[in-house]
Amino acid sequence: MTLRRGTVARYAVGSVGTGGFATLPGLVLVFYLTDTLGVAAGVAGLLVTAAKVWDVVVDPLIGAASDRERATTGRRRRLMVTGGVALPVFFVLTFAAPAGLAPAPSAIWVMLAYLLAATAFSLFQVPYIALPAEIADTYDARTRLLTARVVVLTAAILLFGGGGPALRELGGDDERLGYLLMAVAAALVLGAAMLGASTVERSAGVRAAPTGDPVPGRNALVHYRQGVALLRTSRPFRTLLGAFVLQALATGAMLAAAQYVATWVLHDTSAVTFLFVALVGPALVFAPLWGRLAHRVGKERAFLGASALFVVASLALVGLAWAPGTWVYAPVAVAGAAYAGMQSLPMAMLPDVVAHDARTRGTGRAGSFGGVWTAGETTGMALGTTLLTVVLASTGYLASTDAQAVTQPASAVLGVVAGFSAVPALLVAASLVPLGRYPLRRSDVDAATTDPLGPAPTPTVQENP
């Protein structure tokens, strides 16, 4: 099956939605809770984590529902459309806590709205992750598809990470109004991108007809057991997911710490925009380069190289504790170049894992893989934020409302630096252990398509007129 440019473009645009939702709340939500709503740092971290723990519960069910839709209709579109419609509403509500509420009810408001937003996001994200194994059927085609996705993802991170805080400043002295303006603008872009990507199966020529795969049942316990079984029976999935979750922890902590670094280390709240430009700008260039390197040496080796480079760059940021200054943008840029590979390569490896599983164990589990992957990714990002709040709480960080001014103790500033540098470096270094055990190589993956004795089924396609 030929992978057409239109298919690549439609799939990649979905990353505007996934990248935006992953970036903006991770950047500003905890800061919104602690420095606008007056919620204590530890409590703020628990609230964000509670919403993400819900993902662990619901994502395997969404994965099974997506596989059920695929088996009965031949497509995964309906869940994606539902998520694309619902997410903007709940995203706006997350940043619309009514003025005058005390910190406790404000925190509950944010948690419930964010939980619903996260659920809507999963309705889109889980089937979206399952699609590459079905619309691209070779090792290199998946690299091309996912590299394009990460280029768009990188641009989305830059757009939301830099533009979101800038829009927030339009509220002037009214911080709540600024957050609301930011949320409305972001929600419109998120919804449009997700709905646009929901048409990718039609672009790829996948017929809206049943696939013939077994239809998953509706017993929730069975789906949780299947998720555990995927981890137990698929060593490639277990090692890849283990590395990716540790790196999600790292990037979640670094992302959440960026606003604190700008405010309390660099003493310029607008510096968060420049941090994001430094982080994401190089990634726009390096994402295709990591794809080329993967074509030459293999995805797993390129992934190892990107991760090691990120460790070195993150450790360099420890110097902020003694000499804060504009020099910080140089190592952040190096980390951004590495981050491009840390995003594009594992996402290109996941459909390889799905194809290998189909070749060795049977078909129809792409949605289940997507559900477990999304649960791991979102939980990792959320726990990264929680880890930062634990560091802040343990070092004496002082919460405040938009009407208060505080001075942070030196220990809290040191905690901010650690959350931005040493903590991410250690987590990514730890991810090298499972990554080093990842077993698949190009020959293993392409055998799933070319072996005449038992190739993994590919989706029924038709030529466009």
Side-chain angles (χ1 to χ4, degrees), residues 130 145 184 199 215 293 306 336 359 414 435:
L145 181 68
V184 170
T199 64
V215 179
L293 181 63
R359 168 69 175 83
L414 184 61
L435 182 56

Side-chain angles (χ1 to χ4, degrees), residues 230-373:
L230 291 178
L231 294 171
R232 186 181 66 252
T233 60
S234 176
R235 180 185 171 193
F237 185 60
R238 184 171 63 249
T239 53
L240 183 62
L241 181 63
F244 195 71
V245 168
L246 285 169
Q247 295 189 2
L249 277 166
T251 54
M254 179 177 271
L255 184 65
Q259 182 68 75
Y260 292 92
V261 169
T263 302
W264 300 111
V265 180
L266 301 179
H267 303 290
D268 180 3
T269 56
S270 65
V272 68
T273 299
F274 298 106
L275 285 172
F276 258 84
V277 170
L279 179 65
V280 179
L284 288 170
V285 176
F286 277 87
L289 298 182
W290 287 115
R292 293 178 186 176
L293 181 63
H295 180 72
R296 292 188 176 187
V297 305
K299 299 175 193 178
E300 68 289 339
R301 292 180 180 175
F303 189 16
L304 278 168
S307 302
L309 181 62
F310 186 89
V311 172
V312 173
S314 298
L315 286 176
L317 294 170
V318 174
L320 282 170
W322 298 278
T326 56
W327 64 266
V328 67
Y329 299 117
V332 167
V334 175
Y339 179 69
M342 290 164 56
Q343 284 291 297
S344 63
L345 296 168
M347 286 191 290
M349 293 159 74
L350 177 61
D352 293 340
V353 169
V354 175
H356 180 264
D357 178 78
R359 168 69 175 83
T360 57
R361 297 186 180 276
T363 62
R365 301 204 295 177
S368 296
F369 276 105
V372 176
W373 182 271

Side-chain angles (χ1 to χ4, degrees), residues 1-3 7 11 63 66-71 74-77 80 126-138 141-142 145-146 200-201 204-207 211 213 350-352 354-355 358 363-370 456-461:
M1 173 170 55
T2 301
L3 188 61
T7 301
Y11 185 75
S66 181
D67 281 340
R68 192 159 51 245
E69 180 187 351
R70 168 75 173 154
R75 289 185 178 168
R76 301 182 185 272
R77 183 171 184 268
M80 296 173 69
V126 171
Y128 179 70
I129 285 177
L131 287 175
E134 297 163 353
I135 62 178
D137 57 3
T138 68
R142 294 176 194 128
L145 181 68
L146 273 300
V200 67
E201 289 169 305
V206 179
R207 290 177 182 167
T211 64
D213 291 338
L350 177 61
D352 293 340
V354 175
T363 62
R365 301 204 295 177
S368 296
F369 276 105
T458 57
T460 303
V461 300

